């Protein structure tokens, strides 16, 4: 089976590497960052496609890992070159965190072209992509899921079929909404502790043994303590994903004050040029505000 990738950033590239390790045939990769695509293609021994339609022509299954709703609409519905040119019989596995309705719309477009789509939303990060330990939540037609399942099981330690198109994206939006809230809460707690002169190593241990425990504490706690924010999941993406959840709430007439406050903090990071820090870097806003307050008091 020939497999192509569109979007070979941090996640897509490592998913491609994983499948190559598992002896799948990677035929073509594409990215708007031509240097990234060319470098990965040389590593994997495949084509660095210059056109989206070339990836479709060279592949039976195409994974897409793009940035947002607009990018997703462009690769499937852009004027001229797009993935649905001569796409009959192809399967597209779409892994980006985007709005549920976009998955539904793309499934309809693909159906008209004689192709199938499956959303395979990822609740994991770069190391899990490389090691084949992603948590995958899938939505679409069950026939498409069964076709993709053998490949997905090489990428994920958990592969869960949620339901029809759009449903997995809703679950993923909720996962990221709660994760972002937890990250912001942890970052503020540790930043406040640092300002009070508490032993952060001790505090993280106390957190882990009480109601303050969370998965985010395990994955991000040490980085927040050490103010080490090498990017695994960017603040810019956290802002975007929190926005998806907020929009879902608005569509149902629901106010989500914690999600809104969290998004405002991540939006502030982006505005202050910190968008490419890891989401754990939200602690830097608290440290920055404290420094500004000290300076004001000194003045």
């Amino acid at each position: 089976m020939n497999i192509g990738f569109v979007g070979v950033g941090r996640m897509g590239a490592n998913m491609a590497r994983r499948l190559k390790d598992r002896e799948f045939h990677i035929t073509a990769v594409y990215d708007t960052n031509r240097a990234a695509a060319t470098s990965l293609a040389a590593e994997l021994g495949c084509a660095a496609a210059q056109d989206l339609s070339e990836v479709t022509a060279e592949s039976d299954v195409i994974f897409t890992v793009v940035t947002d709703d607009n990018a997703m609409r462009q690769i499937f519905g852009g004027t001229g070159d797009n993935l649905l040119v001569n796409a009959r019989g192809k399967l597209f596995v779409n892994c980006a965190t985007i709005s549920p309705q976009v998955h539904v719309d793309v499934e309809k477009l693909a159906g008209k072209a004689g192709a199938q789509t499956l959303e395979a939303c990822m609740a994991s990060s770069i190391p899990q992509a490389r090691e084949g330990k992603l948590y995958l939540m899938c939505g679409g037609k069950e026939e498409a899921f069964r076709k993709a399942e053998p490949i997905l099981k090489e990428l994920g330690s958990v592969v869960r079929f949620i339901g029809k198109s759009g449903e997995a994206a809703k679950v993923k939006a909720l996962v990221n909404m709660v994760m972002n809230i937890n990250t912001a809460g942890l970052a503020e707690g540790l930043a406040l502790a640092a300002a009070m002169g508490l032993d952060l190593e001790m505090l993280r241990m106390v957190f882990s043994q009480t109601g303050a425990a969370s998965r985010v504490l395990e994955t991000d706690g040490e980085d927040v303590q050490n103010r080490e924010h090498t990017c695994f999941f960017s603040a810019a993406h956290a802002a975007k994903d929190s926005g998806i959840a907020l929009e879902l709430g608005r569509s149902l007439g629901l106010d989500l004050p914690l999600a809104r406050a969290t998004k405002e903090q991540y939006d502030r990071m982006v505005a202050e040029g910190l968008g490419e820090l890891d989401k754990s870097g939200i602690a830097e806003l608290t440290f920055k505000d404290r420094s500004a307050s000290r300076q004001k008091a000194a003045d």
Side-chain angles (χ1 to χ4, degrees):
M1 181 178 291
N2 295 330
I3 298 175
F5 274 83
V6 172
V8 288
R10 298 181 184 98
M11 294 298 288
N14 281 300
M15 293 164 67
R17 291 183 180 109
R18 167 65 181 177
L19 291 181
K20 177 72 172 181
D21 288 349
R22 302 302 294 169
E23 300 185 350
F24 285 88
H25 188 207
I26 310 299
T27 52
V29 297
Y30 175 95
D31 199 286
T32 53
N33 181 341
R34 284 289 299 160
T38 301
S39 175
L40 184 65
E43 178 185 339
L44 300 181
C46 68
Q50 297 196 42
D51 298 311
L52 292 163
S53 55
E54 182 184 345
V55 182
T56 302
E58 296 291 336
S59 312
D60 304 304
V61 177
I62 300 95
F63 282 82
T64 70
V65 195
V66 297
T67 53
D68 55 27
D69 291 359
N70 288 336
M72 190 71 166
R73 292 190 185 281
Q74 184 63 34
I75 63 173
F76 281 100
T79 302
D81 179 57
N82 65 60
L83 287 174
L84 294 180
V85 174
N86 298 320
R88 183 166 298 279
K90 310 291 180 163
L91 171 62
F92 298 92
V93 181
N94 302 316
C95 301
T97 302
I98 58 174
S99 301
Q101 187 58 47
V102 177
H103 280 295
V104 174
D105 294 344
V106 166
E107 182 185 62
K108 291 177 180 177
L109 285 173
K112 291 178 182 177
Q116 293 178 301
T117 65
L118 181 77
E119 61 199 74
C121 304
M122 305 179 290
S124 310
S125 192
I126 299 166
Q128 291 76 35
R130 187 66 184 88
E131 297 163 8
K133 296 180 180 178
L134 294 170
Y135 192 108
L136 296 171
M137 299 161 286
C138 302
K141 292 183 170 58
E142 190 165 358
E143 176 189 351
F145 173 69
R146 296 303 173 198
K147 184 175 179 180
E149 191 175 17
I151 309 172
L152 297 178
K153 284 184 173 179
E154 297 292 347
L155 291 170
S157 56
V158 176
V159 180
R160 182 182 295 274
F161 183 67
I162 303 295
K164 66 183 181 180
S165 183
E167 296 300 290
K170 293 175 184 176
V171 173
K172 177 61 190 300
L174 294 174
V175 167
N176 281 16
M177 181 188 82
V178 173
M179 176 183 70
N180 292 341
I181 291 170
N182 285 345
T183 303
L186 173 65
E188 287 192 6
L190 290 176
L192 175 58
M196 294 188 294
L198 292 176
D199 181 337
L200 299 188
E201 195 75 31
M202 171 276 294
L203 185 63
R204 286 199 297 117
M205 180 61 68
V206 172
F207 279 179
S208 73
Q209 296 170 337
T210 63
S214 70
R215 177 67 173 156
V216 167
L217 175 64
E218 296 176 32
T219 59
D220 292 355
E222 186 175 2
D223 288 343
V224 174
Q225 176 182 335
N226 296 329
R227 298 178 71 174
E228 164 54 50
H229 306 305
T230 300
C231 191
F232 288 86
F233 184 87
S234 73
H237 281 161
K240 181 258 297 182
D241 294 353
S242 290
I244 292 172
L246 283 170
E247 187 56 40
L248 289 172
R250 277 193 289 268
S251 72
L252 296 168
L254 295 175
D255 183 31
L256 305 171
L258 292 178
R260 185 176 67 252
T262 300
K263 184 180 187 305
E264 287 170 357
Q265 285 292 82
Y266 281 118
D267 283 341
R268 182 182 160 197
M269 285 186 71
V270 173
E272 296 189 12
L274 303 176
E276 288 309 308
L277 288 184
D278 190 81
K279 63 182 173 59
S280 63
I282 197 170
E284 296 305 310
L285 296 180
T286 304
F287 288 119
K288 183 175 181 179
D289 289 343
R290 181 180 178 226
S291 296
S293 179
R294 280 177 162 180
Q295 184 62 48
K296 184 176 181 181
D299 294 343

